[in-house]
Each structure stands twice: as C-alpha cells, then as structure tokens.
Amino acid sequence: MDDGVSALAGGTPERILVVSPYPPVRDGIAAYALQTVRALRRQGHHVEVLSPGPSAAHHHLDLVGPRGALALAKRVRDFDRVIVQFHPDFFYPDPASAASRLRESLALAVPFALAARLEVVVHEIDGRHGNPLRPDGLAARRLWALVDEVKVHTLSERDAFIRDFGVSPSRVSLVAHGADFTRHTHLDRTSARASLDVPEDVFVFLAIGFVQPSKGFDRAVEAFDGLASRGARLDVVGSVRVDDPDMLRYEADLADLCATVDGATLHSGYVSDELFDRWIVAADAVVLPYRNIWSSGVLERAGLFGVPVIATRVGGLTEQAAAQTDVRLVEDDDELRRAMVERLPVQELTPTMGWSAAATADDLHAAVQERVRARASRRPTAPGARRSAAVLDPVVALNSAPLRRLGRLGPPDTNHRLRPVRLVKRLLRRANAWQIDPLLHQINELQSATVLALESNRARAEQGPPPVAGRSPGD
C-alpha cells in the first residue's frame, strides 16, 4: 500500500513507526498491518511497530485515553514517518461520551503534530463525530487537519470522510484494501480439502472471519437451510475477536443455530493466516452476509485465489467488488438465498424467512433463539428426510426453555472507567485465559448437549421404540 520511494530503487531508507494491533493478536487490522510492514521492509526501510497491547511488536502502549496519546508523542519524534492503522477503539473509550472524545482528540493532536510525516489508514470511523457545531466535533476536525495523508479503501469512504471531517481532498487518497496481500498457502483445492477433511464431491459455501453480529453469519446459515440435500455444506470459520458479552452470546447463538441446520458447521477457534487461506482455497463460494462494514479483507483474499463471492451490498463493497471478476452482490436475505441456490449444480429454490439486517443485538439474539427453537422442533419422518415447514412443538420448547434461558458463560468484561484498573483487568485476563477458557467452553458445550438431548428424547418418544432385531412389527 505504500507509495513512498523504495530504498532499493535508490531512494533514502526511512525509519518508519507503524501504530497498529499486531500478530499474534487475532485482529483483521493486525493481519493487514503485518503485510504492510513486510512490504515496507522489502523496500529497504527500517520499520518498528507499536501496538496497543501485548504482541510481537517492538513497543506496547495502552493508547486509550489522553495519557496513552501523550505517551505516543514521546515515540513519534524518533522516526521519519509514522503510519497509524486507525480504528476508534484503539484510542477512544468504548462507549465514549462527547467529553471523552473531546479530551482524546485534543491529546492525540500532540503526537499527530509532532510526527515528521503522518499517514493514517482509516479502517472505520463514525462521521457523526465530526460535527463542527459541537466542541468534540470541532476538535476532531482540527485533529484530522494535522494528518499529512489520510488513506481509505473506497471512493465512497473518501467522499464521506471529506464531507464529515472537512479535510482537504488533496490529503485523502485511495489505497486498495489488498494492495500488500500475499498468499499464505500453496496448496491446491484437492490438497486443501484433504487437509480439512472436506470431501471432493461436495459444494462448499464458506463464511469466514471474526464472529460478531455485524458479520451476519447467522444470515448465511438461515439462507443455507435445506441446501445440504443438494450436495452442499456451509462452513462458518472464525472466532470472537474481543471478550465482549454481546459477542460471546452471538457466538453461542450461532452455534445453536448451526446445530439445527443440516450441513451447517461452526468451526470456532483461532484461525492462522495459513489456515484462513486454506479454507478459501477449499471453498466453492465465499459468503459475506455483512450487516455493516467499510471494506472487506476477506473479499480481497477470495479474489487473490479466484474464489467466487456472494456479499451483501453494504459499505464500500460495491466499489471493492467492481475490481474483481466473480462477485455477486445481494440486497436482502431472499436474494442471498437465491444467489446461493444459483451456485449449486442442482437448483431448487425454497422459501426462507429472513430478519432485518439492521436488527439490534437484543433483537438479533431473540430472533436467532426463536429460529433455533422452531428448527429444533422439526422432526423428519425418516432419517435424512428433508425438513418440512417449521411447526413449533410446545412440549419441546417447554422442556428446553429453562436451559436455553441460562446465559452462556464467558470471561468478565475488562472495561473500566479508570485506566489503571482497566490495565490490571486486561493483564489478569490474559494471564488466566489458558486455564479458564477451556473450562468455560466445556460448560457451555455441556449446556448445549443437554438441550439437544432433551429435544432428541422427545423426538424418540414420538416415534416410538425401535423394532427389536429378529421381530416383525406385528410380533
């Protein structure tokens, strides 16, 4: 993505500081930053990385709050260029008040002004916070005026940023999301499938990335329902990025939903760069049913391997998709299902119900759980038979309801209004995660298994006892 002069081409090598999350942190921006750093080093520059948490970076700072910004100011003066991979959560408290945004923008102005040359790659930002009629908005506008070059991934993002923050158009440039992307696997489709235990003769839909409501993976599962009988499977691959209760609850809901849809599987856990690419190579189509996003690194990686993509028309995906050869954009859940069906060798479209792409977290949780209960009550007349329309069995719902109402266990929230307390809580969380996380996972799995056992027992009771070997039904 760098447009500076390459030292290898006769230019002067620069000392560059990249401010960003960094591997092994499980973060899309961290992976993006790693590839940027590698590209800069290939050009002959000396690059150091400063990350907002423990990682393989050279420097680590808690950047949230004015103290973090002022600590950053002490580092930037030692470099010829500073590149910031910007997301509001790296600098501003979440949730942030107008007063806290004002304080942080004023504090960030110090390192921004001290940097010899400052480039900021904006991955996400709320344009409402640039309102010039509010003190915090005015401070944000003055902050962004200090940046030598703001980089965004799509033209619509560029236009919105210029409008919302009053930055001169000459300072806002476009950079392709996948400009520095390289392949992390050399396996072909056959080898990739063999390594993942995926049969050669099945059509694979893949939804991959961090598991969170904005990614809309539940929409892919809902749209896929019934397509397993057409020789297809849906693999949802990823993990929760942050230990947030809403994210953990969404992951649990998604696991429950996948358990009720034939052929849908949630592969929850850390996904390395190599494994990420291996799944893409193994897929026949990548499904990106996002509810909201600025631009997608997954779309770029799919394009790197020539894998078709089905994506919702949100954010800057329309412009991003225009640069690729096989991307189908859809407007809603019905179009999503139709696009998935049309990818299959045998096409047969059956109705499906969708829910609003703009649902709140609580609405989404209620909707997903309602679908899970409805689907769990569907009982085929014979093993492997196609599910019929959902008919909710009150007894099944009554049996499993107490367990389903129990919240999924997850780590405690590490946020706190006081920075020292927040730092201690995060350190304790990281220190104990290797012991606590497996226990939480086991307890949650036990809860899910108990729910399924209750519902399975009800189904077997309705079907009657199995025939005894050696006897005919009339004996």
Side-chain angles (χ1 to χ4, degrees):
M1 65 152 270
D2 182 62
D3 55 4
V5 178
S6 170
L8 298 180
T12 303
E14 292 181 298
R15 286 178 51 82
I16 301 175
L17 177 67
V18 174
V19 181
S20 172
Y22 207 62
V25 173
R26 295 178 294 173
D27 187 281
I29 296 177
Y32 183 96
L34 175 62
Q35 292 175 92
T36 298
V37 169
R38 286 173 174 171
L40 290 169
R41 286 175 176 163
R42 286 195 297 269
Q43 294 174 9
H45 300 295
H46 172 82
V47 185
E48 296 183 22
V49 182
L50 184 151
S51 75
S55 69
H58 306 78
H59 315 278
H60 308 96
L61 279 177
D62 184 355
L63 297 173
V64 177
R67 293 180 62 183
L70 296 177
L72 177 62
K74 299 177 181 178
R75 272 75 172 180
V76 299
R77 288 175 290 186
D78 297 330
F79 296 88
D80 302 310
R81 184 161 33 133
V82 176
I83 301 175
V84 177
Q85 304 290 343
F86 183 87
H87 189 287
D89 291 352
F90 302 158
F91 301 97
Y92 294 85
D94 182 26
S97 64
S100 65
R101 287 195 299 271
L102 173 61
R103 289 193 297 269
E104 180 61 19
S105 294
L106 292 175
L108 271 178
V110 178
F112 277 29
L114 290 175
R117 174 173 174 79
L118 177 64
E119 299 173 7
V120 180
V121 182
V122 179
H123 293 275
E124 186 175 318
I125 196 168
D126 191 336
R128 295 174 299 177
H129 298 157
N131 186 346
L133 301 180
R134 297 174 56 92
D136 57 311
L138 192 58
R141 284 176 164 244
R142 290 178 177 174
L143 172 69
W144 287 107
L146 296 170
V147 180
D148 295 293
E149 185 175 10
V150 177
K151 297 185 177 183
V152 296
H153 297 308
T154 66
L155 185 60
S156 60
E157 293 170 12
R158 180 178 183 272
D159 292 342
F161 190 90
I162 293 170
R163 180 186 66 246
D164 295 335
F165 293 94
V167 178
S168 169
S170 63
R171 294 193 178 197
V172 186
S173 62
L174 291 176
V175 57
H177 195 125
D180 295 327
F181 281 14
T182 57
R183 299 187 179 202
H184 297 304
T185 183
H186 298 290
L187 295 181
D188 59 15
R189 181 178 181 274
T190 300
S191 301
R193 288 198 169 198
S195 70
L196 297 167
D197 198 26
V198 175
E200 267 293 307
D201 59 349
V202 68
F203 191 97
V204 177
F205 290 107
L206 174 67
I208 189 168
F210 289 114
V211 177
Q212 56 196 48
S214 64
K215 297 299 177 70
F217 292 156
D218 54 285
R219 303 174 74 185
V221 178
E222 172 70 13
F224 177 78
D225 186 31
L227 301 187
S229 62
R230 303 289 178 262
R233 60 184 275 171
L234 170 65
D235 292 281
V236 182
V237 181
S239 61
V240 175
R241 185 174 67 89
V242 293
D243 295 330
D244 179 87
D246 285 340
M247 303 300 176
L248 294 170
R249 185 174 67 172
Y250 177 75
E251 181 186 39
D253 290 342
L254 186 61
D256 288 344
L257 189 61
C258 286
T260 67
V261 174
D262 290 338
T265 305
L266 173 62
H267 306 269
S268 182
Y270 172 70
V271 182
S272 67
D273 291 341
E274 188 276 334
L275 179 58
F276 195 104
D277 281 2
R278 207 171 352 133
W279 270 111
I280 290 179
V281 171
D284 292 293
V286 174
V287 184
L288 305 177
Y290 298 142
R291 289 186 166 87
N292 55 75
I293 197 167
W294 270 47
S295 59
S296 171
V298 183
L299 192 151
E300 294 290 342
R301 300 214 67 79
L304 197 62
F305 292 97
V307 178
V309 174
I310 301 170
T312 46
R313 193 187 300 275
V314 294
L317 293 193
T318 300
E319 298 161 59
Q320 203 177 351
Q324 299 195 21
T325 57
D326 196 353
V327 179
R328 168 77 179 273
L329 296 177
V330 299
E331 299 288 350
D332 53 32
D333 293 339
D334 288 337
E335 282 193 27
L336 173 62
R337 178 173 174 80
R338 190 175 300 111
M340 293 174 72
V341 170
E342 289 173 358
R343 281 285 173 186
L344 297 177
V346 179
Q347 299 179 11
E348 181 175 321
L349 184 62
T350 55
T352 184
M353 295 184 293
W355 49 72
S356 170
T360 65
D362 288 339
D363 290 341
L364 181 60
H365 173 69
V368 171
Q369 285 301 308
E370 179 63 26
R371 294 301 174 86
V372 169
R373 287 191 291 271
R375 292 188 192 283
S377 67
R378 300 177 183 180
R379 300 304 173 202
T381 57
R386 172 78 166 85
R387 285 188 175 104
S388 60
V391 179
L392 184 61
D393 186 332
V395 177
V396 172
L398 185 62
N399 285 344
S400 61
L403 280 171
R404 290 196 181 279
R405 281 196 295 266
L406 290 176
R408 303 280 288 196
L409 290 180
D413 187 3
T414 57
N415 286 324
H416 195 275
R417 62 183 181 83
L418 298 178
R419 182 172 178 272
V421 176
R422 184 172 66 246
L423 180 60
V424 170
K425 290 174 73 174
R426 288 178 180 174
L427 290 174
L428 290 174
R429 163 65 186 142
R430 293 190 180 101
N432 295 325
W434 69 277
Q435 292 177 308
I436 295 175
D437 284 1
L439 295 176
L440 296 178
H441 178 74
Q442 186 70 15
I443 293 171
N444 289 332
E445 287 295 306
L446 180 61
Q447 178 191 353
S448 297
T450 306
V451 170
L452 292 176
L454 282 172
E455 295 172 345
S456 298
N457 286 339
R458 174 67 182 175
R460 285 194 292 269
E462 291 176 352
Q463 295 169 0
V468 179
R471 290 187 181 181
S472 65
D475 290 346

